[in-house]
Amino acid sequence: MTESSSACSTGEIHDLTVAGIAEALAKGDVSSREVTQAFLTRIESVEPDVRAFLTVTADVALGMADEADRRLAAGERGPLLGVPVGLKDLICTEGTRTTGGSKILNNYIPPYDATVARRLREAGAVFVGKLNMDEFAMGSSCENSGYYPTHNPWDLERIPGGSSGGSVAAVAARECPASLGSDTGGSIKLPAALCGVVGIRPTYGRVSRYGILAFASSLDQIGPVTRDVRDAAVMMNAICGHDPKDSTSAPVDVPDFTAALGRDGSDIKGLKIGIPKEYFLQGEEGRGGMDPEVEAAVRKAADALVGLGAELVDISLPHTQYGVATYYLVCTAEASSNLARYDGAHYGHRATGASDIIDMFTRSRNEGFGAEVKLRIMLGTYALSAGFYDAYYMKALKVRTLLKRDFDVAFEKVDLILTPTSPTPAFKLGEKADDPLQMYLTDIFTISPNLAGLGGMSVPCGFTSETNLPIGLQLIPPAFGEETMLRVAHAYEQTQTWCERAPKL
Amino acid sequence: MSKINKQDIDKVALLSRLSFTDAEAEKFAGQLSQILEYAEKLNELDTEGVEPTSHCLNLTNVMREDIPQASLTAEQALANAPDAEDQCFKVPPIIQESG
């Protein structure tokens, strides 16, 4: 491979990025079958340690690879044609088991593709498997999977972050060069930061949610995980766009995101980048308190952007401290409604021995759902119930308006906002498992922009010195402003070499 | 004082179609109380006259033409059914015969 093919490619086939693979396929250096086989071999070798996959679809993958090879032989070219990808296991895939990380869907085989799966299929991507996650995307560590936790490839005793833990761990461990995750309160951005990969949450409405197992419908959004910014733009091109099958899909034009990257850092000259003071506070003990190395790495990245001609502007997002409370009332209310569908009647787990239908519903849900899902259904049902609706749910919706206004005001002054993605690097498995509130506060920096409907991304910006754990920075653009975000991320990426590091597995 | 007691748990569990052992109910009561106490934080804010945001996109009444389109066959729709009979989902009794 030539150096220009990709910022982050070295060595073996499984070390190639999406762009590197597409180039090798286009030249005829390798076939999609060979590439796919190389990743399946990699999966076999590291998966006992990482456990990023719930289902590896080797036969499906090789069939799709052969089809891609036929299209390549016929002269067709495409940035994802013949490239292996993994999908978070809440994206419905026709004929391949889709569990949402839940035992209640242990045997569910969707009769149709989610729109994002269909779009990737049409682009010629090769599906290597379905990726682990917190059950129904409820969690920040991937420990709430109904099956088993995923391990952080940089330190196997630590969590990869969640809920898209499998999606980020698989890319970090080079089990696939790209994947899709979903982000409700930070479920792509947070784990991407903790595993040292690029993760994008598109603006709400940018990507179809048709065929996605719903958690909180006003927040859920599908997005890509890759090793560098260019690959993320390639994936965005493939998955974004209006979908008549999703009534909340935004009827807006989709730009060519790879064209938005620009050539070099000079493209960001004069851009105003907001630094919100509330994201750099030393929090109360254990509650959002920032690791000094994280703060230093993020400030250094901001300085690098100044070196490229951007201007840093101090801003305030005054309602930030109310984000987590607002989020956990809104998302649980929506979840309690969305998850009412899992009743054992039409698909999924059904308990045996029920005396009547209510008993069947209750037993099936009791057996099928894990503790965190039950807790959130209970919280959401309580917040929506008669007598408490105004005090909790309606109050949260009003505070959501205030949080959104914070961003509206900020974007009158700046083009983009820069923050840490997570206040700390990855914590150890089990460390927060019995304390839901501490776990919820993990998402403190990713939640507020999500409540405002905004997109964002996490970009690697360093490593801790002693523990060698990845650190990520979060970029937040105005609604549908992903091009600016990608341009800045790409410009920053050119100034450093973080993405060349690989975990030792 | 705990915000949520055993009675609350029983009531919400019934609405949620869930049921718990006493030990589980006690654990959930503690966790829910802790989270709701944290949520009280929102009461520091005066939201009088603030419009609620249930959704961030300004989309209303998204409709399509009322024309039949391709859909799943009955076989496909029933393929994941735990129990089925005569092209219907089969479930335990919904209405019990009285006396």
Side-chain angles (χ1 to χ4, degrees), chain A residues 109 322 350 366 395 401, chain B residues 19 44-45 51 53 80 90:
Chain A
I109 298 178
Y322 303 101
R350 177 186 292 188
N366 262 358
K395 181 77 184 180
T401 303
Chain B
S19 70
E44 294 167 11
L45 294 169
E51 284 295 309
T53 298
N80 283 288
K90 192 175 176 188

Side-chain angles (χ1 to χ4, degrees), chain A residues 14-30:
Chain A
H14 66 247
D15 289 321
L16 292 174
T17 58
V18 169
I21 291 166
E23 187 178 313
L25 290 170
K27 281 193 203 153
D29 292 346
V30 285

Side-chain angles (χ1 to χ4, degrees), chain A residues 215-252:
Chain A
F215 160 21
S217 303
S218 80
L219 293 155
D220 296 344
Q221 195 63 181
I222 295 292
V225 177
T226 58
R227 297 221 317 276
D228 69 18
V229 177
R230 179 170 297 277
D231 282 359
V234 165
M235 291 288 281
M236 286 286 282
N237 279 353
I239 62 170
C240 292
H242 180 249
D243 180 10
K245 288 181 169 169
D246 173 3
S247 64
T248 62
S249 161
V252 296

Side-chain angles (χ1 to χ4, degrees), chain A residues 324-487:
Chain A
V324 174
T326 304
Y327 173 78
Y328 279 94
L329 291 172
V330 170
C331 82
T332 57
E334 294 186 20
S336 72
S337 172
N338 272 326
L339 271 63
R341 76 190 67 185
Y342 301 108
D343 56 10
H346 303 93
Y347 52 85
H349 174 72
R350 177 186 292 188
T352 53
S355 56
D356 61 26
I357 194 161
I358 302 292
D359 190 33
M360 184 198 86
F361 293 161
T362 305
R363 286 191 196 205
S364 300
R365 290 161 67 79
N366 262 358
E367 292 173 10
F369 290 142
E372 180 65 23
V373 170
K374 289 175 183 170
L375 178 68
R376 295 208 194 182
I377 291 172
M378 293 284 286
L379 179 57
T381 304
Y382 182 81
L384 288 174
S385 64
F388 300 103
Y389 183 93
D390 285 331
Y392 292 109
Y393 181 64
M394 187 52 69
K395 181 77 184 180
L397 293 188
K398 290 180 174 179
V399 179
R400 187 176 185 181
T401 303
L402 300 178
L403 282 156
K404 188 167 183 292
R405 278 186 204 160
D406 281 358
F407 285 97
D408 291 343
V409 169
F411 284 123
E412 287 172 9
K413 290 199 291 186
V414 299
D415 301 299
L416 191 71
I417 293 171
L418 184 153
T419 79
T421 309
S422 162
T424 63
F427 50 89
K428 294 212 164 146
L429 283 146
E431 199 175 313
K432 302 186 183 181
D434 262 340
D435 189 345
L437 188 55
Q438 282 305 307
M439 187 71 89
Y440 295 174
L441 288 162
T442 306
D443 297 329
I444 193 157
F445 294 156
T446 53
I447 272 176
S448 295
N450 288 17
L451 283 166
L454 302 172
M457 72 190 291
S458 184
V459 186
C461 71
F463 286 83
T464 57
S465 53
E466 284 183 11
T467 43
N468 193 40
L469 296 170
I471 300 170
L473 69 88
Q474 176 177 231
L475 298 174
I476 307 161
F480 301 102
E482 289 95 341
E483 288 169 278
T484 308
M485 170 184 87
L486 285 162
R487 187 176 303 126

